[in-house]
Amino acid sequence: DRSLSLKAAGGVVAIEETNAVEVEIDAALVASVLFGALSPSAAAAIDGARGAASALANADALLGLPRFSAIDRF
């Protein structure tokens, strides 16, 4: 029920409550996006996020993490 603004510049990230959002991500997918399992644009492709294509591309760049791969043998 809250909208948060995430801004990054010069290696510093600021998070504030806001009324204006460019990308909206469903609560059920926020953890998947923040921990790198799903990009914001991939979330939008499955109707779990909404935003203009340019805003989703910016969110992908800001929140993108490399794909996880284990370096230990199992």
Side-chain angles (χ1 to χ4, degrees):
D1 294 334
R2 295 172 43 196
S3 296
L4 301 175
S5 170
L6 181 93
K7 296 179 183 179
V12 177
V13 176
I15 300 173
E16 303 171 343
E17 285 197 52
T18 185
N19 291 328
V21 296
E22 292 183 36
V23 174
E24 180 181 353
I25 301 170
D26 292 349
L29 297 179
V30 169
S32 294
V33 170
L34 293 180
F35 288 105
L38 192 65
S39 68
S41 59
I46 59 171
D47 295 326
R50 286 150 298 287
S54 60
L56 287 166
N58 287 338
D60 286 350
L62 180 63
L63 300 172
L65 295 172
R67 182 172 296 278
F68 174 78
S69 59
I71 58 173
D72 295 329
R73 295 187 333 195
F74 291 97

